[in-house]
Amino acid sequence: QVQLVESGGGLVQAGGSLRLSCAASGRTVSSYGMGWFRQAPGKEREFVAAISASGSRTDYGDSVKGRFTISRDNAKNTVYLQMNSLKPEDTAVYYCAADTAWGPTVLLRNYDYWGQGTQVTVSS
């Protein structure tokens, strides 16, 4: 089993930045693709970013391309999401997820493990 714990969320003004972290425990995720998803109130969970196990490949949702960057440190069993130029529409609960395949994958159903989420609120 893999446990994922997100941190780094909070309240930020539009145009600001946040860095989310996702710490994995239970086993190493160095061979797993990892992803970030988000869910706003009343909306479906949507894909934000994904990274392959080695970190050599990444993928992003259209709404965050050029503003968000996903990265990972396999030595620390941790994945990051750097979020810049934040907009009020980025407000959501952000979830980290692990895919036991190499990745990256944009499909929510391919992910096997999920964190509890961290709230990000962007004020205008």
Side-chain angles (χ1 to χ4, degrees), residues 2-3 5 11 15 28 39 47 60 71 79 83 86 95-96 100-101 113:
V2 174
Q3 292 80 43
V5 178
L11 174 64
T28 179
Q39 188 166 18
F47 170 74
Y60 295 93
S71 62
V79 178
M83 305 187 296
L86 282 161
Y95 297 92
C96 174
T100 55
Y113 302 100

Side-chain angles (χ1 to χ4, degrees), residues 4 6 21-23 34-37 79 94-98 113-115 117:
L4 302 173
E6 303 94 337
S21 298
C22 172
M34 300 293 292
W36 287 95
F37 290 76
V79 178
Y94 283 70
Y95 297 92
C96 174
Y113 302 100
W114 292 85

